[in-house]
């Protein structure tokens, strides 16, 4: 599953770059923009043993500093599905892992490099919504991610945004580990002016 998902992400990136290269040039609008998206992730690193993948949604606000540089604020919800064969992260005997409900809240920068192709970096806190169900020690964890993507003009003031990202999140279990997630975000974006 993980290998197939990674190949799918690479294919999505290739398609986005190809379409972006063929798209008619249009400057990125210098206005505030709001996007509502669907997020998907495959776990790796510290999360891989307990959680298989995650699905969620997010809302992002982009505020322009210049024509190509934006400040971003992102809030969302991500449900990480437990691996049925794994034991609890705190190794409680005969207790299976529960799904993990996470609400990341991040701020960052988005830089449009070539036309509508961008790179983005964000950092913030990931709030654990079901701390007791997963037997966690902490209810918040530091998280940061890098993303690259492309913005497709749909109509005069709306867009489809597609990106792939890499996320690193601190453990909720006080063990100093980090969970790694590879993911994708597809969003509908629109100008606020």
């Amino acid at each position: 599953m993980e290998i197939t998902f990674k190949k799918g992400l690479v294919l999505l990136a290739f398609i986005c770059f190809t379409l972006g290269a063929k798209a008619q040039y249009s400057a990125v609008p210098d206005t505030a923009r709001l996007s509502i998206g669907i997020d998907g992730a495959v776990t790796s690193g510290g999360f891989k043993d307990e959680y298989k993948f995650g699905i969620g949604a997010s809302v992002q606000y982009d505020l322009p500093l210049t024509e190509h540089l934006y400040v971003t604020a992102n809030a969302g919800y991500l449900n990480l599905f437990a691996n049925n064969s794994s034991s609890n992260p705190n190794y409680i005997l005969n207790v299976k892992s529960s799904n993990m409900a996470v609400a990341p809240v991040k701020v960052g920068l988005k830089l449009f490099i070539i036309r509508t192709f961008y790179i983005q970096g964000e950092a913030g806190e990931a709030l654990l919504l079901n701390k007791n169900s997963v037997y966690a020690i902490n209810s918040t964890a530091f998280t940061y991610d890098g993303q690259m993507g492309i913005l497709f003009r749909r109509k005069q003031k709306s867009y489809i945004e597609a990106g792939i990202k890499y996320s690193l999140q601190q453990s909720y279990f006080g063990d100093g580990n980090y969970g790694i997630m590879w993911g994708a975000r597809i969003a509908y974006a629109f100008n606020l002016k």
Side-chain angles (χ1 to χ4, degrees):
M1 163 95 184
E2 183 178 345
I3 294 172
T4 305
F5 187 79
K6 287 181 182 177
K7 287 180 182 177
L9 288 177
V10 171
L11 179 62
L12 175 65
F14 178 77
I15 291 169
C16 289
F17 298 140
T18 303
L19 290 174
K22 290 184 177 183
Q24 179 181 358
Y25 177 78
S26 60
V28 175
D30 194 15
T31 62
R33 188 171 39 254
L34 189 67
S35 66
I36 301 165
I38 297 171
D39 299 279
V42 172
T43 60
S44 181
F47 284 149
K48 187 175 182 181
D49 294 335
E50 290 91 23
Y51 302 98
K52 298 183 276 190
F53 63 94
I55 296 175
S58 61
V59 175
Q60 182 169 297
Y61 177 72
D62 297 349
L63 179 68
L65 296 177
T66 68
E67 186 179 351
H68 299 287
L69 183 64
Y70 287 70
V71 172
T72 64
N74 185 307
Y77 172 82
L78 184 66
N79 186 42
L80 294 170
F81 293 93
N83 187 348
N84 294 333
S85 63
S86 70
S87 61
N88 185 274
N90 285 334
Y91 304 106
I92 300 170
L93 294 176
N94 300 321
V95 176
K96 296 290 183 187
S97 294
S98 296
N99 292 347
M100 184 182 285
V102 178
V105 179
K106 302 170 285 189
V107 293
L109 293 172
K110 178 188 279 189
L111 177 65
F112 285 89
I113 298 175
I114 304 169
R115 298 181 183 160
T116 57
F117 173 72
Y118 67 86
I119 58 171
Q120 177 176 333
E122 293 180 311
E125 289 288 317
L127 311 172
L128 182 58
L129 302 178
N130 60 343
K131 177 181 172 184
N132 293 336
S133 297
V134 296
Y135 303 98
I137 295 171
N138 303 317
S139 58
T140 62
F142 176 73
T143 184
Y144 61 92
D145 56 66
Q147 178 174 320
M148 66 178 171
I150 195 160
L151 201 63
F152 298 99
R153 182 179 293 275
R154 189 171 172 268
K155 291 185 179 175
Q156 185 176 1
K157 295 184 177 184
S158 66
Y159 308 86
I160 298 294
E161 185 174 338
I164 54 175
K165 63 183 177 177
Y166 168 83
S167 299
L168 190 63
Q169 182 177 308
Q170 195 174 26
S171 173
Y172 296 104
F173 302 103
D175 54 9
N177 289 332
Y178 281 84
I180 299 170
M181 290 180 279
W182 294 91
R185 181 175 191 259
I186 307 267
Y188 171 74
F190 54 91
N191 293 347
L192 296 177
K193 291 183 183 179

